[in-house]
Amino acid sequence: MAQLWGGRFTKETDQLVYNFNASISFDQKFYKQDITGSKAHVKMLAAQGILTEAERDQILEGLDGILRDVESGTLKITDKYEDIHSFVEANLIDRIGDAGKKLHTGRSRNDQVALDMKLYTRDEIGEIDKLLKKLLETLLGIMEENIETYMPGFTHLQKAQPITLAHHFGAYFEMFKRDRQRLADIYKRMNLCPLGSGALAGTTYPLDREMTAQLLGFDGPTLNSMDSVSDRDYLIELLSAMSTIMMHLSRFCEEIILWNSNEYRFVEIDDAYSTGSSIMPQKKNPDIAELVRGKTGRVYGALTSMLTTMKGIPLAYNKDMQEDKELTFDAIDTVKGCIALFTGMVSTMSFRKDVMEKSAKNGFTNATDAADYLVNHGVPFRDAHGIVGRLVLLCIDRGIALDDLTLEEYKEISPVFEEDIYEAISLKTCVEKRLTIGAPGAEAMKKVIMLEKKYLEEAENL
């Protein structure tokens, strides 16, 4: 058993206790961050005269060798070690001798693991941000190609008013844009370095925490050592942000699943992102969309577990906090996989524009525009609402659309109608007269797309 403690103990830890306590099976995930943090710590110790330059160079060379060997596969991380910190330190001592025993000077596992987790999380936030940016670029491309692809807009899953596919996808663009902004906010708030906080009360060594923070790309050191080693707010914030990402993906997937059904037939998912049935040869199932929708609960579960773990913990560090890693690692991997797969599915999906347009025409989505026509001809809106309601009932009885009524039939219900009613309720007119920014009209959408392009060009990568 390779561990970083034991001097005051008189007998070996029970093997079951050791296994239960050990974290090497999952915290090996940040071997790179542990070595990076150790290198910065050693450079600072030497700059402060706590280590000699020769000791510094010897330790740095040993740490670089461990990193190379782990990444090449010649050095295996095994359960012989309690955690990733003991793995690195034990191997360093084996390689360079007594100088390696000085690595942990002025440092506790508490501030060390807090640092490793922050470094790892910071890196992963950047990766999620890149995936979201690629998704946004994909959505923007679809929007540009479908400014005049007409479809029904829905409320309560009932056809409401005509919109465009660009407008519909633009709504999700806004959602994922806010997701990126949330990640940037978390990144900024968490970017303070806990190293140097010790177990909870700092250290008597003359550490230069500002130097360490700068070497590791932080904005500065944390300002309270007890909070530094017990803070997991940034993980709760990240899990919350990832839950929101998954909620947005799940909503989008739900619509794609509906649109892909025989009843809608708005889209066809590419074969590469579909599966078949073991018994029904005609089936083509939207399994990727369904799995993304299903995995949303998994990420929600991680957030709930993390909040529950932290809710009763007194200051400062407690072993309960070891539970933060597996939850967060799994949630991060799940979110990254779902964004990547969803982007691939959407980018290869084909749209049945004729079916969408026909659905909009046959769903009375132009009824509001018929009422507006009457209002523009002097009819009070409440009266216009009732007149068009009667027209809709007539169409339902006859199984036709508003566009199919004759002018005489219009006039039987209201003499105000004239020949120009057909132009007023055409899909193109209904959509294109909505010109204000944020509306589905082509000119409005072109302005939005221009602004979204500017956002993608100017928003910094994390």
Side-chain angles (χ1 to χ4, degrees):
M1 299 178 187
Q3 50 197 30
L4 301 179
W5 53 274
R8 63 95 65 208
F9 288 78
T10 58
K11 62 180 180 179
E12 285 288 318
T13 305
D14 181 270
Q15 187 62 49
L16 285 175
V17 173
Y18 178 85
N19 293 343
F20 189 68
N21 189 58
S23 59
I24 191 69
S25 63
F26 48 86
D27 70 11
Q28 62 177 280
K29 205 172 183 82
F30 42 56
Y31 70 89
K32 191 179 298 183
Q33 286 79 13
D34 196 77
I35 291 172
T36 298
S38 294
K39 289 173 67 175
H41 182 64
V42 166
K43 289 175 184 177
M44 179 275 296
L45 291 177
Q48 293 299 102
I50 300 168
L51 295 180
T52 66
E53 290 187 2
E55 288 170 330
R56 175 200 64 195
D57 294 344
Q58 196 176 2
I59 293 171
L60 290 176
E61 185 178 350
L63 290 171
D64 285 337
I66 291 170
L67 180 61
R68 279 194 307 272
D69 291 348
V70 169
E71 293 190 332
S72 69
T74 57
L75 177 60
K76 302 293 183 183
I77 303 174
T78 70
D79 59 7
K80 169 186 173 184
Y81 305 93
E82 182 183 15
D83 53 36
I84 193 61
H85 323 300
S86 57
F87 166 80
V88 171
E89 188 169 332
N91 276 278
L92 183 68
I93 293 168
D94 285 346
R95 291 178 181 220
I96 68 171
D98 285 347
K101 296 177 181 178
K102 297 186 177 184
L103 171 65
H104 208 54
T105 306
R107 187 174 70 172
S108 163
R109 271 196 305 182
N110 293 359
D111 61 345
Q112 188 178 0
V113 73
L115 172 68
D116 289 1
M117 196 64 183
K118 272 200 170 182
L119 289 174
Y120 180 84
T121 302
R122 194 175 65 178
D123 290 343
E124 291 300 313
I125 287 175
E127 292 303 308
I128 296 170
D129 181 69
K130 288 178 188 175
L131 289 167
L132 283 175
K133 185 176 182 182
K134 185 175 180 181
L135 174 55
L136 287 172
E137 290 167 347
T138 299
L139 295 180
L140 194 60
I142 293 170
M143 289 163 64
E144 284 187 283
E145 294 171 4
N146 291 279
I147 289 174
E148 295 184 356
T149 300
Y150 303 116
M151 65 174 291
F154 296 84
T155 63
H156 310 280
L157 265 184
Q158 302 292 310
K159 293 177 186 177
Q161 290 179 286
I163 59 169
T164 62
L165 184 64
H167 194 232
H168 197 110
F169 271 51
Y172 285 103
F173 188 102
E174 295 302 316
M175 295 182 207
F176 294 121
K177 182 166 71 172
R178 291 193 296 271
D179 288 328
R180 285 192 79 200
Q181 292 165 347
R182 271 183 280 272
L183 291 177
D185 190 43
I186 295 166
Y187 189 102
K188 182 178 180 181
R189 188 163 36 254
M190 70 170 285
N191 202 34
L192 295 171
C193 184
L195 199 57
S197 297
L200 80 160
T203 174
T204 57
Y205 295 99
L207 306 182
D208 185 347
R209 294 192 63 210
E210 286 79 7
M211 177 183 175
T212 310
Q214 186 177 23
L215 287 172
L216 293 169
F218 288 100
D219 295 330
T222 51
L223 299 182
N224 185 287
S225 58
M226 293 180 74
D227 179 60
S228 300
V229 297
S230 60
D231 169 34
R232 296 299 183 270
D233 287 4
Y234 66 97
L235 295 181
I236 292 170
E237 288 187 60
L238 177 58
L239 288 167
S240 178
M242 290 193 298
S243 293
T244 305
I245 291 170
M246 291 302 296
M247 179 266 290
H248 291 155
L249 287 172
S250 184
R251 290 182 69 182
F252 210 161
C253 283
E254 174 67 10
E255 294 201 304
I256 288 170
I257 291 163
L258 288 171
W259 293 357
N260 186 68
S261 67
N262 292 331
E263 284 69 27
Y264 279 78
R265 297 189 302 112
F266 284 5
V267 301
E268 181 166 353
I269 299 174
D270 191 83
D271 286 358
Y273 292 89
S274 303
T275 63
S277 165
S278 63
I279 188 172
M280 296 170 284
Q282 83 281 10
K283 293 292 294 295
K284 184 177 178 182
N285 301 325
D287 279 13
I288 297 305
E290 291 172 354
L291 278 170
V292 171
R293 186 178 60 181
K295 287 181 182 292
T296 299
R298 186 171 180 149
V299 179
Y300 287 3
L303 171 60
T304 302
S305 295
M306 190 67 195
L307 286 166
T308 305
T309 297
M310 294 300 297
K311 75 174 181 62
I313 299 180
L315 289 173
Y317 182 80
N318 295 268
K319 193 68 171 182
D320 314 45
M321 294 179 189
Q322 182 169 292
E323 288 297 298
D324 66 349
K325 294 171 191 63
E326 287 179 282
L327 295 168
T328 304
F329 294 162
D330 182 74
I332 288 171
D333 291 344
T334 298
V335 170
K336 285 165 61 179
C338 286
I339 298 171
L341 282 167
F342 184 86
T343 302
M345 179 182 69
V346 171
S347 66
T348 57
M349 198 163 58
S350 58
F351 302 97
R352 291 172 168 160
K353 300 180 183 182
D354 57 333
V355 177
M356 289 181 175
E357 185 168 335
K358 184 178 179 182
S359 178
K361 285 179 179 178
N362 293 342
F364 305 109
T365 60
N366 51 1
T368 303
D369 296 273
D372 289 342
Y373 170 91
L374 291 172
V375 171
N376 291 329
H377 286 75
V379 179
F381 178 78
R382 190 52 55 205
D383 293 339
H385 190 283
I387 290 167
V388 176
R390 290 166 61 194
L391 287 167
V392 168
L393 280 174
L394 176 62
C395 290
I396 291 172
D397 286 342
R398 296 178 54 192
I400 60 175
L402 286 171
D403 311 63
D404 300 324
L405 289 171
T406 66
L407 184 57
E408 288 72 22
E409 288 169 327
Y410 272 108
K411 282 184 172 293
E412 282 178 15
I413 294 179
S414 174
V416 175
F417 288 112
E418 297 294 344
E419 190 70 38
D420 58 348
I421 180 59
Y422 297 106
E423 174 61 26
I425 63 172
S426 72
L427 286 186
K428 187 174 180 65
T429 301
C430 291
V431 172
E432 296 311 327
K433 66 186 176 185
R434 291 172 167 82
L435 298 174
T436 57
I437 195 163
E443 292 307 312
M445 281 307 307
K446 287 175 184 176
K447 291 177 185 176
V448 168
I449 287 170
M450 181 181 68
L451 291 171
E452 305 294 28
K453 278 186 175 179
K454 186 177 180 183
Y455 155 73
L456 285 174
E457 289 169 1
E458 294 179 355
E460 293 183 7
N461 293 330
L462 298 179

